[in-house]
């Protein structure tokens, strides 16, 4: 079934409350996805300091202290490593591509689940609210966040199978539903040189969008192309460092509701996740139309 929540803040005075607001929203979706959960935060100064690249890992075989030491020796600058098992977050004052390459050299078996200048991704198995508190999400700040509670249908219950799938720089995608033709699209992408980390259908959607963005297509057009290419029943929330977008399939049987004020834009699988946001009584509240792409920019 799965549950999606997302919050895009327009009012900078709310940035310190991003994590607390997102945690409350996530808590309301626990019964839609009790297996595992993931969350993505843009702009937290502890996890993603300004001027530094951030990489999120799953199941690092190396301790945090050793990882920091070996990466620092390789890249020539200090690398901060934060142990939030099973997720490890690290950041350093170098480019994201350089930090990703260093991680792959030092810990090749670790799974990179997010990278960029602003994005931190956290994933784990178990109760979503408990995971959020264990990671410290209520204390996080920033301008944008998304989260997902998973009920596994297309692949095993694992932390790596949870959403978001963040396969491009500062990009992530969360998904409620299923793509029925994802294997044929996956094979086509593989023939074009795209590599995959899992058997999850959501990763196929994320890789498809990331490929379009890497080729210069904007987010709205990339999601229109996804609608034309993918079959199935789905609601998607896709974000990057300056955009926040929602799209549904032509049938739109997977639930979604959007609320918008001059201070924020929020999306959730059900209204109860939005009910306690500040100013909700004066929000414009609507259900997204089939195949229409809704995009908000920072």
């Amino acid at each position: 079934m799965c549950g999606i929540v997302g919050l895009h803040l327009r009012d900078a005075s709310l940035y310190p409350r991003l994590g607390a607001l997102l945690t409350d929203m996530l808590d309301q979706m626990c019964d839609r996805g009790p297996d595992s959960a993931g969350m993505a935060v843009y702009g937290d100064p502890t996890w993603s300091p300004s001027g530094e690249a951030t990489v999120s890992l799953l199941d690092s075989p190396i301790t945090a202290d050793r990882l920091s030491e070996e990466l620092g020796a390789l890249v020539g600058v200090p690398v901060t490593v934060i142990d939030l098992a099973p997720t490890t977050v690290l950041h350093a004052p170098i480019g994201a591509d350089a930090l990703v390459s260093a991680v792959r050299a030092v810990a090749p078996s670790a799974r990179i689940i997010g990278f960029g200048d602003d994005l931190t991704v956290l994933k784990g198995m178990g109760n979503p609210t408990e995971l959020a508190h264990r990671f410290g999400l209520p204390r996080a700040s920033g301008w944008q966040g998304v989260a997902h509670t998973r009920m596994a249908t297309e692949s095993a219950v694992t932390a790596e199978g949870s959403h978001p799938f963040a396969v491009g720089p500062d990009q992530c995608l969360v998904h409620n539903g299923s793509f029925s033709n994802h294997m044929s699209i996956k094979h086509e992408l593989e023939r074009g040189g795209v590599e995959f980390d899992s058997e999850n259908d959501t990763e196929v959607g994320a890789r498809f969008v990331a490929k379009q963005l890497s080729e210069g297509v904007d987010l709205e057009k990339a999601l229109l192309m996804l609608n034309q290419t993918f079959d199935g029943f789905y609601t998607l929330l896709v974000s990057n460092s300056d955009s926040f977008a929602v799209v549904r399939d032509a049938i739109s049987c997977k639930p979604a509701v959007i609320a918008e004020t001059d201070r924020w834009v929020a999306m959730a699988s059900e209204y109860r996740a939005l009910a306690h946001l500040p100013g909700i009584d004066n929000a414009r509240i609507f259900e997204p139309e089939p195949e229409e792409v809704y995009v908000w920019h920072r």
Side-chain angles (χ1 to χ4, degrees):
M1 186 163 55
C2 300
I4 296 172
V5 297
L7 183 60
H8 172 85
L9 297 178
R10 292 167 159 166
D11 182 349
S13 70
L14 290 174
Y15 289 2
R17 298 177 59 189
L18 174 70
L21 293 170
L22 193 66
T23 300
D24 289 344
M25 295 171 71
L26 179 69
D27 180 59
Q28 295 298 317
M29 295 292 98
C30 284
D31 59 349
R32 293 189 63 88
D35 297 338
S36 54
M39 47 221 75
V41 173
Y42 288 83
D44 181 80
T46 299
W47 295 333
S48 301
S50 178
E52 299 196 16
T54 297
V55 174
S56 299
L57 305 177
L58 264 183
D59 301 323
S60 172
I62 303 174
T63 65
D65 288 344
R66 184 178 156 207
L67 189 60
S68 177
E69 180 181 345
E70 293 192 15
L71 286 170
L74 181 60
V75 300
V77 296
V79 177
T80 300
V81 179
I82 305 168
D83 185 1
L84 299 171
T87 300
T88 302
V89 177
L90 50 97
H91 57 81
I94 57 175
D97 289 344
L99 189 55
V100 167
S101 295
V103 169
R104 287 178 172 152
V106 169
S109 65
R111 181 65 49 85
I112 294 175
I113 58 171
F115 64 97
D117 296 326
D118 303 304
L119 173 67
T120 303
V121 176
L122 309 168
K123 293 187 180 187
M125 294 169 56
N127 179 273
T129 302
E130 293 176 2
L131 284 171
H133 283 273
R134 194 172 83 214
F135 291 150
L137 181 63
R139 299 187 298 275
S141 62
W143 65 83
Q144 186 166 268
V146 303
H148 185 275
T149 64
R150 183 172 185 237
M151 181 177 289
T153 56
E154 299 292 334
S155 58
V157 180
T158 62
E160 70 183 66
S162 60
H163 307 193
F165 276 83
V167 300
D170 288 312
Q171 300 165 21
C172 68
L173 179 150
V174 294
H175 174 203
N176 176 21
S178 125
F179 297 129
S180 59
N181 63 336
H182 68 281
M183 288 304 298
S184 62
I185 299 169
K186 180 180 181 180
H187 294 327
E188 182 176 347
L189 290 171
E190 287 175 328
R191 287 191 290 271
V194 176
E195 297 181 359
F196 287 80
D197 294 328
S198 75
E199 299 302 317
N200 194 293
D201 64 325
T202 304
E203 185 185 359
V204 181
R207 297 279 179 191
F208 179 90
V209 172
K211 183 175 186 295
Q212 311 314 317
L213 295 178
S214 71
E215 294 174 353
V217 174
D218 66 28
L219 186 56
E220 181 174 7
K221 184 174 180 181
L223 294 180
L224 289 171
M225 293 170 67
L226 182 146
N227 264 342
Q228 295 167 359
T229 306
F230 284 74
D231 295 327
F233 304 103
Y234 54 84
T235 293
L236 302 178
L237 173 58
V238 184
S239 64
N240 58 28
S241 57
D242 64 3
S243 302
F244 179 90
V246 177
V247 67
R248 303 168 83 190
D249 68 277
I251 304 301
S252 293
C253 65
K254 295 299 180 181
V257 60
I258 295 171
E260 181 176 9
T261 73
D262 59 358
R263 303 183 72 196
W264 48 261
V265 180
M267 178 269 177
S269 296
E270 298 182 43
Y271 173 78
R272 57 188 164 125
L274 310 176
H276 300 292
L277 289 172
I280 189 67
D281 291 343
N282 298 315
R284 173 184 174 234
I285 300 170
F286 62 98
E287 181 177 341
E289 295 291 333
E291 295 190 302
E292 183 170 342
V293 178
Y294 298 81
V295 183
W296 295 266
H297 299 286
R298 187 178 177 211

